[in-house]
Amino acid sequence: ADNNILLKVGGLKVAYGGIQAVKGVSFEVRQGELVSLIGANGAGKTTTLKAVTGLQPVADGEIEYLGKSIKGQGAWDLVKQGLVMVPEGRGTFTRMTITENLQMGAYIRNDKAEILADIDKVFGIFPRLKERRNQLAGTMSGGEQQMLAMGRALMARPKVLLLDEPSMGLSPIMVDKIFEVVNDIHGQGVTILLVEQNASRALAAANRGYVMESGIVTMTGEGKHLLNDPKVRAAYLGE
Ligand code: ATP
């Protein structure tokens, strides 16, 4: 076995009722990598992430995390083991302050002093959150809520951070900021699986990428290689 593989998905199938959304997807994420999963609307990217994180039942296939099968395990148990997702739409606690949201991210931990230190670290990555630490999350802009959702996920000390469309619906400046932070967090050693419709940004940031179409993986390779691939450019980069 390859000890560097943190997450290994093989032949994953997921269905909603009679509809197969994911039809046999395989990929892996190694220690320290940033892996991007790109593809059009409805390709099955979000469904794949949900299956991996225990939020959607698996119809068939295998999911291994840290060398062991995690198929059938609940989302809660997986977060405790370091598999942490930032969902599409962010899911912050709108009636809680920023600081309270970050504390909620650490609910699986009880090391009080280190939790405080980690909140400071998150504030270091996102100065905007620090400025607004007593503001209710529901009153923040979309980009700020994305930052908060990422900060909250970091509070769980992820071994693998799964990001579902972090740039969705954000202004170009905010998209820049979010990718800057994704690169930052990756640079600090966090392993990342990034799902994005913004293929150019996601592939530019990635060590490796996978292209999904209609529930299957159609291409894979180094991020830069995919970014320069004529088929990828024609299908996903508007060329
Ligand atoms: P997007 O970028 O739009 O989220 P995606 O690649 O993440 O796209 P999924 O959200 O995984 O795609 O959707 C894959 C397929 O599964 C789509 O055909 C979608 O309509 C279907 N699907 C997703 N969620 C459900 C659900 N809860 N019930 C029924 N069908 C669903």
Side-chain angles (χ1 to χ4, degrees):
D2 183 339
N3 287 333
N4 289 323
I5 296 182
L6 295 189
L7 184 64
K8 187 174 167 67
V9 172
L12 178 69
K13 294 184 184 170
V14 185
Y16 298 104
I19 299 168
Q20 278 225 3
V22 175
K23 304 170 185 168
V25 161
S26 302
F27 65 91
E28 73 255 342
V29 181
R30 294 190 176 79
Q31 173 82 49
E33 273 191 317
L34 195 167
V35 173
S36 290
L37 201 55
I38 65 157
N41 244 314
K45 308 181 299 296
T46 296
T47 302
T48 299
L49 281 197
K50 283 186 176 165
V52 166
T53 53
L55 295 168
Q56 187 65 44
V58 169
D60 198 12
E62 202 34 81
I63 306 174
E64 282 178 18
Y65 174 59
L66 308 178
K68 291 193 195 110
S69 173
I70 55 165
K71 204 162 79 166
Q73 287 194 37
W76 161 267
D77 282 325
L78 296 174
V79 170
K80 277 197 282 193
Q81 294 166 60
L83 198 59
V84 184
M85 173 156 84
V86 179
E88 202 175 2
R90 287 114 208 189
T92 57
F93 301 107
T94 54
R95 291 169 177 231
M96 291 185 181
T97 66
I98 287 170
T99 302
E100 287 165 348
N101 265 275
L102 293 177
Q103 285 163 345
M104 290 299 286
Y107 64 88
I108 51 163
R109 300 166 49 188
N110 48 24
D111 45 343
K112 249 189 165 165
E114 288 196 45
I115 289 171
L116 285 176
D118 280 2
I119 288 180
D120 267 345
K121 259 195 222 166
V122 168
F123 283 157
I125 299 171
F126 303 101
R128 180 78 65 97
L129 296 182
K130 185 175 186 180
E131 279 165 30
R132 311 201 160 205
R133 57 187 175 278
N134 297 318
Q135 187 173 326
L136 293 182
T139 63
M140 301 205 303
S141 75
E144 289 165 352
Q145 292 200 33
Q146 181 62 45
M147 293 179 189
L148 178 56
M150 288 166 69
R152 191 181 58 184
L154 290 174
M155 292 300 298
R157 293 200 169 170
K159 288 196 177 77
V160 180
L161 182 65
L162 304 102
L163 302 172
D164 195 2
E165 308 240 6
S167 80
M168 191 177 59
L170 303 184
S171 69
I173 288 175
M174 212 29 109
V175 171
D176 284 348
K177 178 70 201 166
I178 291 299
F179 274 98
E180 221 174 85
V181 167
V182 167
N183 282 323
D184 237 45
I185 294 171
H186 179 224
Q188 290 175 25
V190 179
T191 303
I192 297 176
L193 178 59
L194 171 65
V195 159
E196 262 295 341
Q197 279 192 48
N198 190 333
S200 61
R201 303 300 294 265
L203 292 176
N207 300 114
R208 292 186 305 108
Y210 294 84
V211 180
M212 269 187 87
E213 269 172 58
S214 310
I216 60 168
V217 170
T218 53
M219 292 179 85
T220 182
E222 283 181 22
K224 288 196 184 81
H225 182 83
L226 289 176
L227 193 55
N228 291 314
D229 185 281
K231 274 178 289 179
V232 173
R233 298 196 76 82
Y236 301 104
L237 303 171
E239 285 179 15

